[in-house]
Every structure is written in C-alpha cells, then in structure tokens.
C-alpha cells in the first residue's frame, strides 16, 4: 500500500473540520443569519467559523487534482477513471444503504420514497453532491487533462483567466448566472493545479503572493458580513445573504483562499505519520455520514441546536465541541466500515483460492 504524504493528509483533515463546522451552522434548525437581528459577537464568530466549508471543499478537490495530474501519461485513461469511480461508488453505496436501513429501523422522520430512491442510486440522483460531481469529473478527466496539456503556458493562463472571470468573478454580482456550479469549480481548480506544476509555483518562491491571496479576500468577505449584518436591521435581504461572499465553491474568496492554502500546504515538511493518514483516510466517511438527510436533521435539529447557546459566552466553544464530536464519531464509524470491507476482501480471496 502506498504511504500517502502526511502534509496532504493533514490538509484533508483541516478541510473536513471546516466542512463539518459549516454544516453545524448553516444546516442548523436555528438560522444564525436571520434569527439574530443586527451584529453580535457570537453571531459574527459563528458566521465566520461556520462558513469555511467551501474553502474546505476546494482543498479536498485540489489534493485529488494534484495526484491525478501527477499520474503517468499512459495511466490517464478511462480505465483508471472507471476503476476510481467503482472504488468511490462502493463506499457511497455502503453508506447510503446502511444509513437508510438504520433510519428505517430507528423510525427517523423524513424517510420518503424519494430518499429511498436516492439511497439506492446515490450517485445517479445526487444524494451527496461531492461524490456525484467528482465521479462526473473523473469520467471527463482523461480528455480534459490531455486538452490542457496541448495548451502552451500563455494560452493555459488565458484559459484559466477566462474561466475564472466567467464562472467566479461574475458571481460577485448577486443574481448573475453564467452557469457557475460545483463542476465548473472543479474544472477551474484542476487547470490551476496543472499551471502551478508547469510553472513550478511554490510557497517559498511566492510567499508574499500566497499570504495576500489567503488574507485579503478572506478579510474582505468578513467585512462584507459585518456590513450586511448591520444593514440587516433595516433590510431583510441583507441579513439573509450576509454570508454570500463566503459561500459557494466557485466564488472568488473560496477559490483564491483555497489555492493559497493549498500551495502553502504543499510546502509543509511533514514526515509520514500513521495517525494523520489514518484519520485523513476516514474523512470521506465523515462527510457521507453527517450529510445523510435523516442524520443531518437529527444532528442539527435535535442534538446540536444552537439556539440554546447563542447567548452564552461559550457559544463558540460549543461549536468546536459539536464539530469535534461529529468528526470523531464519523472516524470511528468509518473505521468499522473499513474493517467490513477488509473482511469482505479477505473472504473473496479465500473463495477464489478454494475454487
């Protein structure tokens, strides 16, 4: 088994913590944006710490893009894409069926015929957006990669600038729709990775630029939250969309900050660490578990209801506690899943040998 570099694995862990924290806030029964009028310290901190998932989503994909773009040219083909899709689908299908059965056994509300259909065909019906989008990208990847390789440096840069302008910068204007979506974000990020590798862009060579790309957009997004929260006392729409510029994988803040953090993370000198890699390998399972509809409703409506803590001095610590609890329980559950898969594989090999 290949020992994955722990710097990339640590990035995956940080990304998933961002994602869980975001869902705890944005999917909560208590709407932080609209149910607190105006600007308060707890509200602002929850909006900041609870809206980094889009940076996390992009980091997750950037790591995959780095390794996909590093593969030998003769391995970049549909055969590899299909095998990757099958590996991913096995995990997705395991969780969709298992969590559906558990929901039915425990009689959790919200198990509709639509959810049953989505659980049987999770990727086809987009039960979870990330694996569906990633599988579609994998199927297009061999052709997209080879197309990017045919572009010289100047045209590759122009291609990235055009994509970024059309699918990212344009969304700074509310209600503008030029087809921006999560798949477009993947296309842009993959092209950026190819360009970074081709031009040998490293954190040590572009330290000031990386720091600026991380800090400036993020501070502007935080400033926009403050301004819109204040305006929200007079205008409901401002309160509803107070976190607009932080939300969306394809928006400039998420794109720029994730790219800057990724370039920084590539430079980390971390030796192979078994624990980091072990936890990181279970992060996908954490995502699937806590984002299954019935589990999400239970966690963010019944267990971690922020309305009980919004006026407490330790509200932010409660957010961190909830995030870590969900994350660690997900790690434990995915460890059991990995054990089941290993046992099934051993049984399969034993049957093959006996035959």
């Amino acid at each position: 088994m290949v020992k994955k570099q722990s710097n990339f694995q640590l990035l995956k862990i940080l990304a998933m913590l961002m994602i869980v924290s975001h869902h705890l806030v944005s999917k909560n029964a208590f709407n932080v944006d609209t149910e607190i009028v105006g600007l308060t310290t707890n509200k602002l901190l929850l909006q900041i710490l609870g809206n980094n998932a889009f940076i996390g989503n992009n980091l997750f994909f950037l790591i995959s893009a780095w390794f996909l773009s590093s593969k030998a040219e003769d391995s970049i083909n549909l055969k590899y894409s299909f095998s990757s899709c099958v590996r991913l689908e096995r995990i997705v299908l395991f969780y969709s069926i298992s969590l559906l059965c558990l929901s039915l056994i425990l009689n959790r509300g919200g198990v509709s015929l639509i959810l049953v259909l989505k659980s049987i065909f999770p990727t086809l019906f987009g039960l979870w957006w990330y694996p569906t989008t990633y599988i579609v990208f994998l199927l297009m990847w061999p052709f997209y990669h080879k197309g990017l390789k045919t572009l010289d440096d100047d045209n590759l840069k122009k291609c990235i600038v055009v994509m970024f302008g059309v699918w990212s910068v344009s969304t700074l204007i509310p209600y503008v729709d030029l087809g921006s979506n999560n798949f477009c974000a993947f296309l842009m990020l993959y092209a950026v990775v190819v360009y970074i590798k081709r031009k040998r862009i490293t954190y040590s060579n572009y330290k000031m630029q990386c720091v600026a790309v991380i800090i400036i957009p993020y501070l502007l997004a935080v400033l926009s939250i403050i301004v819109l929260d204040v305006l929200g006392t007079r205008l409901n729409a401002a309160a509803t969309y107070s976190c607009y510029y932080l939300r969306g994988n394809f928006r400039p803040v998420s794109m720029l900050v994730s790219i800057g953090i990724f370039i920084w993370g590539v430079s980390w000198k971390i030796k192979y660490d078994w624990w980091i890699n072990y936890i990181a390998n279970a992060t996908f399972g954490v995502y699937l578990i806590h984002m299954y509809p019935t589990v999400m409703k239970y966690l963010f409506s019944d267990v971690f209801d922020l309305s009980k803590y919004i006026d407490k001095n330790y509200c932010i610590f409660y957010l961190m506690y909830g995030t870590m609890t969900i994350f660690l329980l997900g790690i434990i559950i995915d460890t059991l899943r990995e054990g089941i898969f290993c046992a099934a594989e051993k049984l399969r090999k034993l049957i093959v040998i006996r035959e």
Side-chain angles (χ1 to χ4, degrees), residues 78 81 134-146 183 187:
L78 278 177
S81 293
Y134 186 61
I135 282 176
V136 172
F137 177 82
L138 279 173
L139 294 175
M140 299 296 296
W141 163 66
F143 314 105
Y144 184 55
H145 176 87
K146 290 173 182 177
F183 184 71
L187 293 177

Side-chain angles (χ1 to χ4, degrees), residues 66-337:
W66 182 267
F67 289 105
L68 284 174
S69 61
S70 300
K71 295 193 70 63
E73 289 299 316
D74 58 354
S75 298
I76 300 177
N77 51 49
L78 278 177
K79 181 180 178 181
Y80 180 84
S81 293
F82 281 130
S83 63
S84 297
C85 290
V86 169
R87 287 195 301 270
L88 188 64
E89 186 67 13
R90 285 176 62 212
I91 300 173
V92 170
L93 195 58
F94 172 86
Y95 276 117
S96 65
I97 297 297
S98 299
L99 292 172
L100 172 64
C101 292
L102 186 63
S103 298
L104 291 170
I105 292 169
L106 297 178
N107 195 28
R108 300 302 307 171
V111 181
S112 61
L113 288 176
I114 294 297
L115 181 58
V116 172
L117 185 63
K118 286 186 173 183
S119 298
I120 297 172
F121 304 102
T123 301
L124 186 63
F125 289 98
L127 179 59
W128 293 284
W129 78 263
Y130 190 95
T132 295
T133 307
Y134 186 61
I135 282 176
V136 172
F137 177 82
L138 279 173
L139 294 175
M140 299 296 296
W141 163 66
F143 314 105
Y144 184 55
H145 176 87
K146 290 173 182 177
L148 292 176
K149 295 287 282 186
T150 63
L151 299 176
D152 58 34
D153 294 353
D154 187 54
N155 279 314
L156 177 58
K157 183 168 67 174
K158 288 178 181 177
C159 177
I160 293 170
V161 169
V162 170
M163 287 193 291
F164 192 75
V166 172
W167 290 330
S168 186
V169 176
S170 67
T171 64
L172 289 173
I173 305 171
Y175 304 112
V176 168
D177 184 2
L178 296 178
S180 305
N181 55 41
N182 296 321
F183 184 71
C184 293
F186 284 5
L187 293 177
M188 288 187 284
L189 291 170
Y190 191 85
V192 168
V193 168
V194 171
Y195 187 78
I196 287 171
K197 284 189 168 184
R198 186 182 294 186
K199 301 299 289 184
R200 293 181 173 84
I201 297 173
T202 63
Y203 181 73
S204 59
N205 293 337
Y206 292 87
K207 185 174 182 179
M208 293 301 296
Q209 292 90 332
C210 283
V211 172
V213 160
I214 295 169
I215 294 177
I216 294 175
Y218 197 82
L219 287 179
L220 289 174
V222 171
L223 180 61
S224 74
I225 292 174
I226 295 172
V227 171
L228 290 171
D229 276 345
V230 173
L231 288 175
T233 58
R234 296 174 178 271
L235 189 64
N236 290 335
T240 302
Y241 294 99
S242 56
C243 298
Y244 176 84
Y245 294 104
L246 260 182
R247 292 177 178 168
N249 301 322
F250 45 80
R251 291 216 165 84
V253 174
S254 305
M255 295 289 291
L256 294 173
V257 174
S258 62
I259 291 168
I261 293 175
F262 179 74
I263 293 172
W264 179 35
V266 172
S267 71
W268 296 346
K269 304 299 181 184
I270 304 175
K271 293 181 180 179
Y272 171 80
D273 186 288
W274 186 87
W275 277 107
I276 291 177
N277 288 29
Y278 165 75
I279 295 171
N281 288 336
T283 52
F284 184 56
V286 173
Y287 168 80
L288 296 176
I289 294 163
H290 89 279
M291 282 306 291
Y292 188 77
T294 55
V295 175
M296 185 166 56
K297 183 177 182 298
Y298 174 68
L299 287 176
F300 304 137
S301 295
D302 301 338
V303 180
F304 297 105
D305 184 355
L306 290 175
S307 65
K308 301 174 183 177
Y309 303 93
I310 195 63
D311 295 323
K312 307 294 184 183
N313 293 330
Y314 53 84
C315 180
I316 299 307
F317 294 102
Y318 180 74
L319 173 66
M320 295 177 182
Y321 158 74
T323 299
M324 289 305 301
T325 299
I326 294 169
F327 183 80
L328 292 174
L329 285 174
I331 296 295
I332 293 170
I333 295 170
D334 196 70
T335 299
L336 295 175
R337 191 273 311 165

Side-chain angles (χ1 to χ4, degrees), residues 3-38:
K3 292 185 176 181
K4 298 179 181 178
Q5 296 168 260
S6 292
N7 58 332
F8 291 106
Q9 298 298 81
L10 184 57
L11 275 176
K12 286 176 68 173
I13 294 170
L14 294 175
M16 190 51 61
L17 288 171
M18 291 179 185
I19 292 168
V20 174
S21 177
H22 165 71
H23 291 146
L24 207 159
V25 174
S26 68
K27 304 296 182 182
N28 206 272
F30 181 80
N31 190 321
V32 173
D33 297 337
T34 58
E35 294 191 48
I36 302 175
V37 179

